[in-house]
Amino acid sequence: MKFFVLSIVVAFFLSGCSNWIYRIDVPQGNFLDNRDVKKLRIGMTKEQVIFVLGNPVVQDSFDHDTWYYLYEMKRGMRKRGEDFQRSLIIHFEENKIANVDGDFELSEDFMTPLDQ
C-alpha cells in the first residue's frame, strides 16, 4: 500500500515538471502583415503582387490564375497563445487581380486600380 501511495505522489509531482520543457513555436507558410495586404489593388499584375507579398506558398497546378498564401502557427506551449491559421486567396483574370478572399481585411481603396 505504501508503494502505491508513494508512486501516486511521485507521479503527481512529476506531472508539474512538464512546463519546464521548452517547446518552440513552429510557423509554416507565408507570414503576411496587414499593412502589406492593404497595398493590394484590383488590376495589379502577378509581378506586382510578388513584389508586395512575395511568392505564394501554393500555386494550383491546374489553375495558374489562383494563388494561395497560407500561414499556420503551432504553439509549442499554451501560455504563449493558441494555434492559428490565416489564408489569403488571390484570383487572377488575364494576369491581373480579379478577386481576393481570405482572413485579411482589404483596404478601402482595393477597388481603385493603381493606374488611376
Side-chain angles (χ1 to χ4, degrees), residues 40-111:
L40 293 177
R41 300 287 184 268
I42 198 155
M44 286 178 77
T45 64
K46 290 181 178 182
E47 290 81 19
Q48 290 171 322
V49 173
I50 290 173
F51 182 77
V52 172
L53 300 179
N55 287 315
V57 170
V58 179
Q59 289 181 345
D60 192 340
S61 298
F62 300 105
D63 181 12
H64 297 288
D65 291 331
T66 303
W67 287 2
Y68 299 90
Y69 289 86
L70 307 171
Y71 183 73
E72 180 177 18
M73 173 64 80
K74 292 224 182 233
R75 299 289 183 184
M77 303 176 80
R78 291 210 185 263
K79 66 182 179 181
R80 288 197 296 259
E82 294 294 320
D83 297 349
F84 66 91
Q85 296 178 345
R86 298 188 92 188
S87 65
L88 184 73
I89 303 167
I90 302 176
H91 304 279
F92 294 92
E93 288 179 8
E94 298 178 10
N95 286 336
K96 295 187 178 186
I97 293 180
N99 187 20
V100 177
D101 299 318
D103 300 324
F104 293 89
E105 271 189 45
L106 300 173
S107 73
E108 296 173 359
D109 297 331
F110 175 75
M111 295 307 286

Side-chain angles (χ1 to χ4, degrees), residues 5-18:
V5 172
L6 181 64
S7 60
I8 295 293
V9 170
V10 168
F12 177 74
F13 282 113
L14 287 177
S15 68
C17 297
S18 65

Side-chain angles (χ1 to χ4, degrees), residues 4 19 29 31 53:
F4 179 71
N19 287 334
F31 177 77
L53 300 179

